[in-house]
Amino acid sequence: MGRRGAERPVGAVTRGTTNPNRLRRMDRWIAAVHGPALRRAAGPYGPVAVDLGYGAAPWTAVELLERLRAQCGSVSVTGIEIDPARVEAARPYERPGLVFAHGGFEVPLPGGRRPMLIRAANVLRQYDEREVVPVWDRLRARLAPGGLLVEGTCDEIGRRHVWVAIGPEGPRTVTFATRLGSLGTPSDLAERLPKALIHRNVPGEPVHAFLLDMDRAWAAASPYAALGARQRWMRSVKEVAARWPVVDGPRRWRQGEVTVRWEALAPGGGGRKGM
């Protein structure tokens, strides 16, 4: 990471791997949780969302526009890539409300506009852990008032995904999302922890304790498997919510999600309730 010249984008080129519908779980959560803020920010020009580091193909930016417009018809999306060849390859997919731009963590937008949403999926995985918070700080400083940065990692086809939601004031929550039919144990999600947490899945760290508690609750809820993986997951999350600051409820749990306050899972964080 770094800038060799004032005109150079900030960051490094990623592998660029992407697939259609890969980020559907993250997008679904963003639309549900951040949709009201997008609608409130509509204004005369509409809010701007950024797909940062969309990769070698523009599918995720196209899908983000479609999913957000179901919540806010005036939203526009800018796909930003640090590789200029990827930007040129995406140009044929531009349409009203969707453009592509060359840039990096400086998040260049025309007219100095500030985004209501920055989505950065599978971007920081190649960075060192110590670089994550400075990148978060840089990106959240670009947010409009009431804006949201969502940064995380998923597998190649979007079955397992973990992300951190970050407001202008700092990180807020961590969300675990999975296709329940493919889940062996909740700790399967550990391999998709974002860079800020993936090296912290070791004894003594809060995120390790949380995943261990989820596995224990999942095992205890095995009788519910006869009713389907969704019912087993919901029972497991309900059990864990008695000990951890889970901030969502059954409507999100039914989607194969659970969201926990960041300060409980952060390195050196507060952990379980009462700890």
Side-chain angles (χ1 to χ4, degrees), residues 227-251:
L227 302 176
R230 178 175 288 111
Q231 292 301 318
R232 185 178 182 181
W233 173 265
M234 292 179 69
R235 179 66 183 185
S236 302
V237 176
K238 183 177 180 180
E239 173 68 22
V240 167
R243 300 188 297 277
W244 291 85
V246 171
V247 300
D248 53 6
R251 180 174 296 182

Side-chain angles (χ1 to χ4, degrees), residues 190 193 197-212 267:
L193 287 168
L197 295 174
I198 194 164
H199 300 301
R200 303 293 181 152
N201 185 33
V202 294
E205 289 283 353
V207 71
H208 180 270
F210 174 76
L211 289 171
L212 186 60

Side-chain angles (χ1 to χ4, degrees), residues 22-267:
R22 186 182 187 187
L23 302 183
R24 61 194 180 278
R25 300 184 193 283
M26 180 184 274
D27 289 352
R28 182 171 60 199
W29 182 89
I30 290 170
V33 173
H34 198 49
L38 292 173
R39 292 191 293 272
R40 288 193 298 270
Y45 302 107
V48 179
V50 168
D51 186 9
L52 183 63
Y54 56 84
W59 319 132
T60 60
V62 173
E63 292 165 351
L64 183 63
L65 177 66
E66 293 171 351
R67 289 163 181 160
L68 292 184
R69 285 220 161 157
Q71 298 293 320
C72 176
S74 64
V75 71
S76 62
V77 170
T78 298
I80 295 178
E81 250 296 337
I82 201 167
D83 182 346
R86 295 175 184 173
V87 178
E88 289 307 308
R91 296 285 189 203
Y93 295 88
E94 292 188 337
R95 64 186 70 173
L98 177 63
V99 297
F100 296 92
H102 181 219
F105 297 144
E106 75 282 6
V107 190
L109 291 177
R113 296 188 68 187
R114 297 170 68 186
M116 276 295 293
L117 171 72
I118 300 174
R119 185 188 65 182
N122 305 301
V123 171
L124 297 186
R125 197 156 178 95
Q126 68 186 19
Y127 288 82
D128 290 333
E129 183 183 352
R130 66 178 182 273
E131 296 178 282
V132 171
V133 171
V135 171
W136 284 358
D137 289 346
R138 185 176 195 119
L139 294 177
R140 67 186 178 89
R142 290 287 294 121
L143 291 171
L148 190 70
L149 163 64
V150 183
E151 187 272 311
T153 304
C154 68
D155 66 2
E156 288 73 13
I157 59 174
R159 293 172 303 172
R160 296 169 187 164
H161 208 154
V162 187
W163 59 81
V164 182
I166 303 156
E169 79 288 353
R172 296 174 179 171
T173 59
V174 183
T175 298
F176 301 79
T178 185
R179 180 181 180 273
L180 292 170
S182 68
L183 187 68
T185 61
S187 62
D188 291 346
L189 284 157
E191 65 184 20
R192 298 302 165 182
L193 287 168
K195 193 67 178 190
L197 295 174
I198 194 164
H199 300 301
R200 303 293 181 152
N201 185 33
V202 294
E205 289 283 353
V207 71
H208 180 270
F210 174 76
L211 289 171
L212 186 60
D213 275 3
M214 280 292 297
D215 278 357
R216 289 169 176 159
W218 181 257
S222 59
Y224 288 82
L227 302 176
R230 178 175 288 111
Q231 292 301 318
R232 185 178 182 181
W233 173 265
M234 292 179 69
R235 179 66 183 185
S236 302
V237 176
K238 183 177 180 180
E239 173 68 22
V240 167
R243 300 188 297 277
W244 291 85
V246 171
V247 300
D248 53 6
R251 180 174 296 182
R252 303 311 312 168
W253 303 347
R254 287 184 60 83
Q255 303 296 325
E257 298 173 9
V258 59
T259 298
V260 184
R261 293 193 184 280
W262 163 258
E263 57 266 27
L265 301 185

